[in-house]
Amino acid sequence: LKRMSEVYPVPLNDLWLDADDTDAGVRLFTAEAAEATSRVLDRPSASGVRTPYYEYRDAAMSRCSQFRPEWIKELRIVPSSDPSHPDVQLNNGHLMMQTTLFIGPVDFYYTDRHGVVRRESMQTGDSNFIS
């Protein structure tokens, strides 16, 4: 494949296929396995002290997938619906595109195209797409 990529104008990553790591197209990931990957992210609070904000856990995925799903739990509950409340901390980045499926209620904060921070109250079954 490397030689083919050198001879023809085709990137090596377009030729490489990872081995299928599924069982007939299915991957299972238990709650116990997810819990073992738990990590807590701290963010500054209104008082400036870093406190737990989110807990992240890995979820079922395949190495053939183009995205890496995660389980996220809010650990800091903001006591106001004001998106500029100092306890609100926006994410520092995400993949090029991200879909979130909510099990609510969850307050979702984002910056709109005009640079204004917005809050949406999401409920179980709601979702978003970020690009």
Side-chain angles (χ1 to χ4, degrees), residues 44-73:
S45 67
S47 65
V49 176
R50 294 183 70 81
T51 61
Y53 198 77
Y54 286 123
E55 177 186 2
Y56 285 85
R57 296 179 186 181
D58 291 343
M61 68 162 288
S62 166
R63 73 171 63 114
C64 299
S65 175
Q66 296 181 352
F67 63 94
R68 185 176 190 98
E70 291 182 312
W71 174 100
I72 304 172
K73 179 181 180 182

PDB file of all heavy atoms in Angstrom, residues 44-73:
ATOM      1  N   PRO A  44     -13.203  26.237  36.582  1.00  0.00           N
ATOM      2  CA  PRO A  44     -13.335  27.282  37.604  1.00  0.00           C
ATOM      3  C   PRO A  44     -14.803  27.559  37.931  1.00  0.00           C
ATOM      4  O   PRO A  44     -15.649  27.628  37.045  1.00  0.00           O
ATOM      5  CB  PRO A  44     -12.687  28.506  36.954  1.00  0.00           C
ATOM      6  CG  PRO A  44     -11.825  27.963  35.869  1.00  0.00           C
ATOM      7  CD  PRO A  44     -12.484  26.708  35.392  1.00  0.00           C
ATOM      8  N   SER A  45     -15.080  27.713  39.224  1.00  0.00           N
ATOM      9  CA  SER A  45     -16.432  28.055  39.670  1.00  0.00           C
ATOM     10  C   SER A  45     -16.570  29.571  39.722  1.00  0.00           C
ATOM     11  O   SER A  45     -15.623  30.306  39.417  1.00  0.00           O
ATOM     12  CB  SER A  45     -16.684  27.466  41.059  1.00  0.00           C
ATOM     13  OG  SER A  45     -15.850  28.116  42.005  1.00  0.00           O
ATOM     14  N   ALA A  46     -17.734  30.046  40.147  1.00  0.00           N
ATOM     15  CA  ALA A  46     -17.971  31.486  40.274  1.00  0.00           C
ATOM     16  C   ALA A  46     -16.965  32.133  41.218  1.00  0.00           C
ATOM     17  O   ALA A  46     -16.592  33.293  41.039  1.00  0.00           O
ATOM     18  CB  ALA A  46     -19.398  31.743  40.753  1.00  0.00           C
ATOM     19  N   SER A  47     -16.485  31.368  42.206  1.00  0.00           N
ATOM     20  CA  SER A  47     -15.509  31.905  43.161  1.00  0.00           C
ATOM     21  C   SER A  47     -14.067  31.764  42.663  1.00  0.00           C
ATOM     22  O   SER A  47     -13.142  32.188  43.343  1.00  0.00           O
ATOM     23  CB  SER A  47     -15.657  31.196  44.514  1.00  0.00           C
ATOM     24  OG  SER A  47     -15.312  29.833  44.376  1.00  0.00           O
ATOM     25  N   GLY A  48     -13.876  31.167  41.488  1.00  0.00           N
ATOM     26  CA  GLY A  48     -12.546  31.006  40.923  1.00  0.00           C
ATOM     27  C   GLY A  48     -11.846  29.711  41.308  1.00  0.00           C
ATOM     28  O   GLY A  48     -10.767  29.419  40.822  1.00  0.00           O
ATOM     29  N   VAL A  49     -12.468  28.928  42.176  1.00  0.00           N
ATOM     30  CA  VAL A  49     -11.903  27.655  42.607  1.00  0.00           C
ATOM     31  C   VAL A  49     -12.290  26.577  41.598  1.00  0.00           C
ATOM     32  O   VAL A  49     -13.439  26.512  41.163  1.00  0.00           O
ATOM     33  CB  VAL A  49     -12.440  27.283  44.015  1.00  0.00           C
ATOM     34  CG1 VAL A  49     -11.931  25.917  44.439  1.00  0.00           C
ATOM     35  CG2 VAL A  49     -12.057  28.345  45.026  1.00  0.00           C
ATOM     36  N   ARG A  50     -11.322  25.729  41.232  1.00  0.00           N
ATOM     37  CA  ARG A  50     -11.624  24.635  40.304  1.00  0.00           C
ATOM     38  C   ARG A  50     -12.388  23.553  41.040  1.00  0.00           C
ATOM     39  O   ARG A  50     -11.917  23.035  42.048  1.00  0.00           O
ATOM     40  CB  ARG A  50     -10.351  24.093  39.675  1.00  0.00           C
ATOM     41  CG  ARG A  50      -9.659  25.107  38.773  1.00  0.00           C
ATOM     42  CD  ARG A  50      -8.430  24.535  38.102  1.00  0.00           C
ATOM     43  NE  ARG A  50      -8.755  23.553  37.105  1.00  0.00           N
ATOM     44  CZ  ARG A  50      -9.138  23.818  35.851  1.00  0.00           C
ATOM     45  NH1 ARG A  50      -9.249  25.061  35.457  1.00  0.00           N
ATOM     46  NH2 ARG A  50      -9.397  22.844  35.006  1.00  0.00           N
ATOM     47  N   THR A  51     -13.565  23.221  40.519  1.00  0.00           N
ATOM     48  CA  THR A  51     -14.417  22.187  41.107  1.00  0.00           C
ATOM     49  C   THR A  51     -14.884  21.245  40.007  1.00  0.00           C
ATOM     50  O   THR A  51     -14.874  21.602  38.818  1.00  0.00           O
ATOM     51  CB  THR A  51     -15.638  22.808  41.817  1.00  0.00           C
ATOM     52  OG1 THR A  51     -16.413  23.532  40.857  1.00  0.00           O
ATOM     53  CG2 THR A  51     -15.214  23.740  42.943  1.00  0.00           C
ATOM     54  N   PRO A  52     -15.326  20.035  40.360  1.00  0.00           N
ATOM     55  CA  PRO A  52     -15.805  19.087  39.341  1.00  0.00           C
ATOM     56  C   PRO A  52     -16.942  19.689  38.512  1.00  0.00           C
ATOM     57  O   PRO A  52     -17.856  20.313  39.054  1.00  0.00           O
ATOM     58  CB  PRO A  52     -16.288  17.897  40.166  1.00  0.00           C
ATOM     59  CG  PRO A  52     -15.476  17.962  41.414  1.00  0.00           C
ATOM     60  CD  PRO A  52     -15.330  19.442  41.699  1.00  0.00           C
ATOM     61  N   TYR A  53     -16.842  19.516  37.178  1.00  0.00           N
ATOM     62  CA  TYR A  53     -17.838  20.085  36.262  1.00  0.00           C
ATOM     63  C   TYR A  53     -18.561  18.998  35.481  1.00  0.00           C
ATOM     64  O   TYR A  53     -19.777  18.996  35.385  1.00  0.00           O
ATOM     65  CB  TYR A  53     -17.149  21.073  35.320  1.00  0.00           C
ATOM     66  CG  TYR A  53     -18.106  22.029  34.641  1.00  0.00           C
ATOM     67  CD1 TYR A  53     -18.632  23.106  35.341  1.00  0.00           C
ATOM     68  CD2 TYR A  53     -18.478  21.856  33.318  1.00  0.00           C
ATOM     69  CE1 TYR A  53     -19.513  24.003  34.734  1.00  0.00           C
ATOM     70  CE2 TYR A  53     -19.353  22.737  32.706  1.00  0.00           C
ATOM     71  CZ  TYR A  53     -19.867  23.801  33.413  1.00  0.00           C
ATOM     72  OH  TYR A  53     -20.737  24.670  32.817  1.00  0.00           O
ATOM     73  N   TYR A  54     -17.794  18.093  34.876  1.00  0.00           N
ATOM     74  CA  TYR A  54     -18.345  16.978  34.104  1.00  0.00           C
ATOM     75  C   TYR A  54     -17.652  15.690  34.512  1.00  0.00           C
ATOM     76  O   TYR A  54     -16.478  15.695  34.862  1.00  0.00           O
ATOM     77  CB  TYR A  54     -18.051  17.114  32.605  1.00  0.00           C
ATOM     78  CG  TYR A  54     -18.813  18.115  31.828  1.00  0.00           C
ATOM     79  CD1 TYR A  54     -18.140  19.104  31.123  1.00  0.00           C
ATOM     80  CD2 TYR A  54     -20.193  18.075  31.742  1.00  0.00           C
ATOM     81  CE1 TYR A  54     -18.826  20.025  30.357  1.00  0.00           C
ATOM     82  CE2 TYR A  54     -20.886  18.998  30.979  1.00  0.00           C
ATOM     83  CZ  TYR A  54     -20.190  19.967  30.292  1.00  0.00           C
ATOM     84  OH  TYR A  54     -20.865  20.873  29.530  1.00  0.00           O
ATOM     85  N   GLU A  55     -18.369  14.583  34.364  1.00  0.00           N
ATOM     86  CA  GLU A  55     -17.746  13.270  34.389  1.00  0.00           C
ATOM     87  C   GLU A  55     -17.910  12.694  32.990  1.00  0.00           C
ATOM     88  O   GLU A  55     -19.011  12.717  32.433  1.00  0.00           O
ATOM     89  CB  GLU A  55     -18.419  12.347  35.402  1.00  0.00           C
ATOM     90  CG  GLU A  55     -17.819  10.946  35.389  1.00  0.00           C
ATOM     91  CD  GLU A  55     -18.550   9.958  36.286  1.00  0.00           C
ATOM     92  OE1 GLU A  55     -19.562  10.338  36.908  1.00  0.00           O
ATOM     93  OE2 GLU A  55     -18.120   8.795  36.333  1.00  0.00           O
ATOM     94  N   TYR A  56     -16.818  12.230  32.413  1.00  0.00           N
ATOM     95  CA  TYR A  56     -16.840  11.602  31.095  1.00  0.00           C
ATOM     96  C   TYR A  56     -16.548  10.118  31.245  1.00  0.00           C
ATOM     97  O   TYR A  56     -15.746   9.722  32.084  1.00  0.00           O
ATOM     98  CB  TYR A  56     -15.748  12.191  30.190  1.00  0.00           C
ATOM     99  CG  TYR A  56     -16.030  13.559  29.655  1.00  0.00           C
ATOM    100  CD1 TYR A  56     -15.728  14.689  30.397  1.00  0.00           C
ATOM    101  CD2 TYR A  56     -16.589  13.727  28.397  1.00  0.00           C
ATOM    102  CE1 TYR A  56     -15.970  15.959  29.902  1.00  0.00           C
ATOM    103  CE2 TYR A  56     -16.831  14.991  27.891  1.00  0.00           C
ATOM    104  CZ  TYR A  56     -16.517  16.093  28.652  1.00  0.00           C
ATOM    105  OH  TYR A  56     -16.757  17.344  28.152  1.00  0.00           O
ATOM    106  N   ARG A  57     -17.201   9.314  30.401  1.00  0.00           N
ATOM    107  CA  ARG A  57     -16.900   7.880  30.304  1.00  0.00           C
ATOM    108  C   ARG A  57     -16.928   7.490  28.836  1.00  0.00           C
ATOM    109  O   ARG A  57     -17.690   8.047  28.046  1.00  0.00           O
ATOM    110  CB  ARG A  57     -17.935   7.040  31.051  1.00  0.00           C
ATOM    111  CG  ARG A  57     -17.972   7.281  32.540  1.00  0.00           C
ATOM    112  CD  ARG A  57     -19.027   6.434  33.195  1.00  0.00           C
ATOM    113  NE  ARG A  57     -19.160   6.763  34.608  1.00  0.00           N
ATOM    114  CZ  ARG A  57     -20.001   6.148  35.424  1.00  0.00           C
ATOM    115  NH1 ARG A  57     -20.782   5.174  34.978  1.00  0.00           N
ATOM    116  NH2 ARG A  57     -20.059   6.504  36.684  1.00  0.00           N
ATOM    117  N   ASP A  58     -16.123   6.503  28.478  1.00  0.00           N
ATOM    118  CA  ASP A  58     -16.168   5.982  27.119  1.00  0.00           C
ATOM    119  C   ASP A  58     -17.467   5.204  26.921  1.00  0.00           C
ATOM    120  O   ASP A  58     -18.091   4.756  27.879  1.00  0.00           O
ATOM    121  CB  ASP A  58     -14.972   5.069  26.845  1.00  0.00           C
ATOM    122  CG  ASP A  58     -13.657   5.832  26.803  1.00  0.00           C
ATOM    123  OD1 ASP A  58     -13.686   7.064  26.655  1.00  0.00           O
ATOM    124  OD2 ASP A  58     -12.607   5.187  26.928  1.00  0.00           O
ATOM    125  N   ALA A  59     -17.859   5.065  25.666  1.00  0.00           N
ATOM    126  CA  ALA A  59     -19.056   4.306  25.294  1.00  0.00           C
ATOM    127  C   ALA A  59     -18.673   3.338  24.169  1.00  0.00           C
ATOM    128  O   ALA A  59     -17.562   3.385  23.646  1.00  0.00           O
ATOM    129  CB  ALA A  59     -20.158   5.259  24.839  1.00  0.00           C
ATOM    130  N   ALA A  60     -19.601   2.473  23.804  1.00  0.00           N
ATOM    131  CA  ALA A  60     -19.333   1.485  22.753  1.00  0.00           C
ATOM    132  C   ALA A  60     -18.897   2.171  21.469  1.00  0.00           C
ATOM    133  O   ALA A  60     -19.481   3.175  21.066  1.00  0.00           O
ATOM    134  CB  ALA A  60     -20.582   0.645  22.496  1.00  0.00           C
ATOM    135  N   MET A  61     -17.853   1.640  20.851  1.00  0.00           N
ATOM    136  CA  MET A  61     -17.383   2.165  19.568  1.00  0.00           C
ATOM    137  C   MET A  61     -16.559   1.107  18.861  1.00  0.00           C
ATOM    138  O   MET A  61     -16.149   0.123  19.468  1.00  0.00           O
ATOM    139  CB  MET A  61     -16.561   3.437  19.754  1.00  0.00           C
ATOM    140  CG  MET A  61     -15.232   3.227  20.444  1.00  0.00           C
ATOM    141  SD  MET A  61     -14.075   4.578  20.214  1.00  0.00           S
ATOM    142  CE  MET A  61     -13.615   4.366  18.517  1.00  0.00           C
ATOM    143  N   SER A  62     -16.315   1.343  17.606  1.00  0.00           N
ATOM    144  CA  SER A  62     -15.467   0.486  16.804  1.00  0.00           C
ATOM    145  C   SER A  62     -14.300   1.309  16.284  1.00  0.00           C
ATOM    146  O   SER A  62     -14.442   2.504  16.026  1.00  0.00           O
ATOM    147  CB  SER A  62     -16.260  -0.075  15.613  1.00  0.00           C
ATOM    148  OG  SER A  62     -15.380  -0.643  14.664  1.00  0.00           O
ATOM    149  N   ARG A  63     -13.151   0.677  16.104  1.00  0.00           N
ATOM    150  CA  ARG A  63     -12.019   1.416  15.529  1.00  0.00           C
ATOM    151  C   ARG A  63     -12.326   1.837  14.094  1.00  0.00           C
ATOM    152  O   ARG A  63     -11.652   2.678  13.533  1.00  0.00           O
ATOM    153  CB  ARG A  63     -10.742   0.596  15.615  1.00  0.00           C
ATOM    154  CG  ARG A  63     -10.670  -0.562  14.652  1.00  0.00           C
ATOM    155  CD  ARG A  63      -9.305  -1.207  14.642  1.00  0.00           C
ATOM    156  NE  ARG A  63      -8.970  -1.784  15.912  1.00  0.00           N
ATOM    157  CZ  ARG A  63      -8.812  -3.084  16.126  1.00  0.00           C
ATOM    158  NH1 ARG A  63      -8.911  -3.937  15.146  1.00  0.00           N
ATOM    159  NH2 ARG A  63      -8.523  -3.539  17.315  1.00  0.00           N
ATOM    160  N   CYS A  64     -13.355   1.229  13.495  1.00  0.00           N
ATOM    161  CA  CYS A  64     -13.751   1.599  12.129  1.00  0.00           C
ATOM    162  C   CYS A  64     -14.677   2.816  12.109  1.00  0.00           C
ATOM    163  O   CYS A  64     -14.996   3.326  11.046  1.00  0.00           O
ATOM    164  CB  CYS A  64     -14.433   0.416  11.453  1.00  0.00           C
ATOM    165  SG  CYS A  64     -13.364  -1.042  11.315  1.00  0.00           S
ATOM    166  N   SER A  65     -15.105   3.255  13.270  1.00  0.00           N
ATOM    167  CA  SER A  65     -16.023   4.382  13.359  1.00  0.00           C
ATOM    168  C   SER A  65     -15.299   5.702  13.102  1.00  0.00           C
ATOM    169  O   SER A  65     -14.108   5.828  13.365  1.00  0.00           O
ATOM    170  CB  SER A  65     -16.657   4.418  14.756  1.00  0.00           C
ATOM    171  OG  SER A  65     -17.459   5.551  14.905  1.00  0.00           O
ATOM    172  N   GLN A  66     -16.023   6.684  12.621  1.00  0.00           N
ATOM    173  CA  GLN A  66     -15.439   8.001  12.374  1.00  0.00           C
ATOM    174  C   GLN A  66     -15.643   8.946  13.556  1.00  0.00           C
ATOM    175  O   GLN A  66     -15.291  10.111  13.486  1.00  0.00           O
ATOM    176  CB  GLN A  66     -16.033   8.606  11.111  1.00  0.00           C
ATOM    177  CG  GLN A  66     -15.683   7.800   9.892  1.00  0.00           C
ATOM    178  CD  GLN A  66     -16.248   8.395   8.624  1.00  0.00           C
ATOM    179  OE1 GLN A  66     -17.025   9.328   8.653  1.00  0.00           O
ATOM    180  NE2 GLN A  66     -15.851   7.846   7.503  1.00  0.00           N
ATOM    181  N   PHE A  67     -16.231   8.466  14.633  1.00  0.00           N
ATOM    182  CA  PHE A  67     -16.394   9.302  15.818  1.00  0.00           C
ATOM    183  C   PHE A  67     -16.222   8.454  17.067  1.00  0.00           C
ATOM    184  O   PHE A  67     -16.265   7.233  17.013  1.00  0.00           O
ATOM    185  CB  PHE A  67     -17.755  10.010  15.818  1.00  0.00           C
ATOM    186  CG  PHE A  67     -18.922   9.060  15.877  1.00  0.00           C
ATOM    187  CD1 PHE A  67     -19.501   8.720  17.091  1.00  0.00           C
ATOM    188  CD2 PHE A  67     -19.449   8.508  14.715  1.00  0.00           C
ATOM    189  CE1 PHE A  67     -20.568   7.836  17.145  1.00  0.00           C
ATOM    190  CE2 PHE A  67     -20.522   7.634  14.765  1.00  0.00           C
ATOM    191  CZ  PHE A  67     -21.079   7.293  15.985  1.00  0.00           C
ATOM    192  N   ARG A  68     -16.017   9.125  18.189  1.00  0.00           N
ATOM    193  CA  ARG A  68     -15.809   8.445  19.466  1.00  0.00           C
ATOM    194  C   ARG A  68     -16.878   8.923  20.443  1.00  0.00           C
ATOM    195  O   ARG A  68     -16.775  10.017  20.993  1.00  0.00           O
ATOM    196  CB  ARG A  68     -14.416   8.762  19.998  1.00  0.00           C
ATOM    197  CG  ARG A  68     -14.076   8.025  21.247  1.00  0.00           C
ATOM    198  CD  ARG A  68     -12.641   8.308  21.690  1.00  0.00           C
ATOM    199  NE  ARG A  68     -12.287   7.416  22.752  1.00  0.00           N
ATOM    200  CZ  ARG A  68     -11.598   6.294  22.600  1.00  0.00           C
ATOM    201  NH1 ARG A  68     -11.178   5.950  21.410  1.00  0.00           N
ATOM    202  NH2 ARG A  68     -11.336   5.533  23.635  1.00  0.00           N
ATOM    203  N   PRO A  69     -17.907   8.116  20.668  1.00  0.00           N
ATOM    204  CA  PRO A  69     -18.983   8.545  21.563  1.00  0.00           C
ATOM    205  C   PRO A  69     -18.536   8.543  23.021  1.00  0.00           C
ATOM    206  O   PRO A  69     -17.664   7.770  23.411  1.00  0.00           O
ATOM    207  CB  PRO A  69     -20.077   7.504  21.326  1.00  0.00           C
ATOM    208  CG  PRO A  69     -19.332   6.293  20.866  1.00  0.00           C
ATOM    209  CD  PRO A  69     -18.130   6.792  20.103  1.00  0.00           C
ATOM    210  N   GLU A  70     -19.129   9.434  23.798  1.00  0.00           N
ATOM    211  CA  GLU A  70     -18.840   9.505  25.225  1.00  0.00           C
ATOM    212  C   GLU A  70     -20.127   9.695  26.010  1.00  0.00           C
ATOM    213  O   GLU A  70     -21.079  10.274  25.518  1.00  0.00           O
ATOM    214  CB  GLU A  70     -17.912  10.675  25.547  1.00  0.00           C
ATOM    215  CG  GLU A  70     -16.510  10.501  25.041  1.00  0.00           C
ATOM    216  CD  GLU A  70     -15.632  11.662  25.434  1.00  0.00           C
ATOM    217  OE1 GLU A  70     -16.033  12.816  25.253  1.00  0.00           O
ATOM    218  OE2 GLU A  70     -14.531  11.401  25.924  1.00  0.00           O
ATOM    219  N   TRP A  71     -20.110   9.206  27.222  1.00  0.00           N
ATOM    220  CA  TRP A  71     -21.176   9.392  28.199  1.00  0.00           C
ATOM    221  C   TRP A  71     -20.732  10.582  29.041  1.00  0.00           C
ATOM    222  O   TRP A  71     -19.594  10.628  29.512  1.00  0.00           O
ATOM    223  CB  TRP A  71     -21.251   8.118  29.015  1.00  0.00           C
ATOM    224  CG  TRP A  71     -22.160   8.048  30.183  1.00  0.00           C
ATOM    225  CD1 TRP A  71     -23.397   7.472  30.207  1.00  0.00           C
ATOM    226  CD2 TRP A  71     -21.902   8.479  31.531  1.00  0.00           C
ATOM    227  NE1 TRP A  71     -23.916   7.535  31.482  1.00  0.00           N
ATOM    228  CE2 TRP A  71     -23.018   8.156  32.305  1.00  0.00           C
ATOM    229  CE3 TRP A  71     -20.826   9.126  32.136  1.00  0.00           C
ATOM    230  CZ2 TRP A  71     -23.098   8.439  33.655  1.00  0.00           C
ATOM    231  CZ3 TRP A  71     -20.906   9.415  33.479  1.00  0.00           C
ATOM    232  CH2 TRP A  71     -22.036   9.078  34.223  1.00  0.00           C
ATOM    233  N   ILE A  72     -21.598  11.573  29.221  1.00  0.00           N
ATOM    234  CA  ILE A  72     -21.237  12.780  29.976  1.00  0.00           C
ATOM    235  C   ILE A  72     -22.292  13.033  31.041  1.00  0.00           C
ATOM    236  O   ILE A  72     -23.491  13.017  30.758  1.00  0.00           O
ATOM    237  CB  ILE A  72     -21.144  14.023  29.059  1.00  0.00           C
ATOM    238  CG1 ILE A  72     -20.148  13.775  27.929  1.00  0.00           C
ATOM    239  CG2 ILE A  72     -20.761  15.251  29.868  1.00  0.00           C
ATOM    240  CD1 ILE A  72     -20.136  14.869  26.879  1.00  0.00           C
ATOM    241  N   LYS A  73     -21.838  13.287  32.260  1.00  0.00           N
ATOM    242  CA  LYS A  73     -22.738  13.617  33.358  1.00  0.00           C
ATOM    243  C   LYS A  73     -22.360  14.991  33.909  1.00  0.00           C
ATOM    244  O   LYS A  73     -21.194  15.246  34.202  1.00  0.00           O
ATOM    245  CB  LYS A  73     -22.617  12.572  34.467  1.00  0.00           C
ATOM    246  CG  LYS A  73     -23.500  12.855  35.666  1.00  0.00           C
ATOM    247  CD  LYS A  73     -23.323  11.795  36.730  1.00  0.00           C
ATOM    248  CE  LYS A  73     -24.198  12.063  37.929  1.00  0.00           C
ATOM    249  NZ  LYS A  73     -23.993  11.044  38.982  1.00  0.00           N
TER     250      LYS A  73
END
